[in-house]
Amino acid sequence: MRKIFIWCFVIIVALISIAAICDIIVSKNASGKTFDSVESIPHRKVGLILGTSPISTWNGRRNYYFDHRIKAGADLYKAGKVDWLVVSGGDYRNTENGYDEPVAMRDSLMKQGVDSTRIILDYDGTRTLNSIAKMRDVYCQDSITIISQEYHNERALYQAKHLGIDAIAFNAKTPGRRTSWLRNRGREVLARVKLFIDIALGLHPDIK
């Protein structure tokens, strides 16, 4: 019984250590590549807004992560920091609290003054890997601005680096609700571990 307890303890410590190392590597890679102010970020031709639904699939309430990403993209466009906005997400209308994410993002951007002819809808954005890879393989972009919350941006920047894309990121505001932040931050730690697993396994993006 004692040996089982020791082995369980060792495994738990190892898993926590691996998660922490993955988290630190991703964060360090993003150093100097993320920006919080519109004035300081360099111009890039294309901005990529990573998808999320306007309504939380978790509780059916308004999703402020969506609102802040839309505002960030609109602010960059109106300031001349990006010329085009690719809104990358999935069509989840057949799921509970689901939306057509690209259409919802486009419509919200238009309400904030973005020219509809400068918005490109991408339906392969069901995974961050797909969103990033499509910028390179379909839209032929090797230099982009990624738009999402900071923790998501950091992972996307690492993915972009792995795919050979020169990317920077603009940090949309992170909602202040503590429970929401903790839940999303916890998911992000696991997503960073999965990022390295996918890279090790040579996972290819699923682009239609």
Side-chain angles (χ1 to χ4, degrees):
M1 188 69 178
R2 179 181 175 82
K3 287 185 178 180
I4 294 176
F5 175 79
I6 293 174
W7 274 111
C8 288
F9 178 77
V10 169
I11 291 172
I12 291 172
V13 171
L15 291 175
I16 293 174
S17 299
I18 290 171
I21 290 170
C22 291
D23 191 55
I24 292 170
I25 291 173
V26 169
S27 295
K28 284 189 174 296
N29 171 73
S31 178
K33 299 177 184 178
T34 62
F35 298 84
D36 296 306
S37 71
V38 174
E39 294 75 21
S40 64
I41 191 169
H43 170 270
R44 294 285 168 97
K45 183 178 179 180
V46 178
L48 169 65
I49 303 180
L50 297 175
T52 188
S53 173
I55 300 298
S56 174
T57 56
W58 182 264
N59 55 24
R61 297 175 182 172
R62 182 175 177 178
N63 183 6
Y64 291 99
Y65 285 84
F66 175 94
D67 295 341
H68 293 316
R69 290 184 202 183
I70 293 301
K71 184 180 186 304
D75 288 347
L76 290 178
Y77 173 79
K78 289 187 285 188
K81 296 296 185 174
V82 294
D83 304 322
W84 298 83
L85 287 169
V86 174
V87 290
S88 185
D91 185 351
Y92 302 111
R93 286 176 292 180
N94 292 328
T95 63
E96 185 178 2
N97 300 322
Y99 267 76
D100 183 326
E101 289 181 348
V103 166
M105 288 191 283
R106 179 201 64 191
D107 293 348
S108 296
L109 285 167
M110 290 170 60
K111 289 179 181 178
Q112 296 205 25
V114 179
D115 184 348
S116 62
T117 64
R118 291 284 171 167
I119 304 171
I120 298 171
L121 277 65
D122 169 34
Y123 281 93
D124 280 318
T126 53
R127 293 192 60 190
T128 302
L129 170 62
N130 294 347
S131 299
I132 302 294
K134 193 165 185 178
M135 296 301 296
R136 180 194 67 181
D137 298 339
V138 176
Y139 300 120
C140 302
Q141 299 298 311
D142 58 7
S143 178
I144 62 173
T145 295
I146 299 168
I147 303 163
S148 187
Q149 275 70 33
E150 184 175 13
Y151 63 84
H152 194 189
N153 278 337
E154 290 179 348
R155 174 161 51 92
L157 285 169
Y158 196 93
Q159 189 66 262
K161 176 185 176 182
H162 176 68
L163 294 174
I165 300 174
D166 176 23
I168 56 176
F170 185 74
N171 296 327
K173 182 180 176 181
T174 299
R177 296 184 63 178
R178 185 173 180 82
T179 55
S180 176
W181 183 89
L182 287 172
R183 182 176 66 251
N184 284 284
R185 189 66 182 87
R187 289 170 57 188
E188 178 62 24
V189 170
L190 297 178
R192 294 184 180 192
V193 174
K194 190 175 187 305
L195 166 65
F196 285 97
I197 293 174
D198 290 345
I199 290 174
L201 295 176
L203 183 70
H204 295 289
D206 179 19
I207 297 177
K208 301 179 180 59

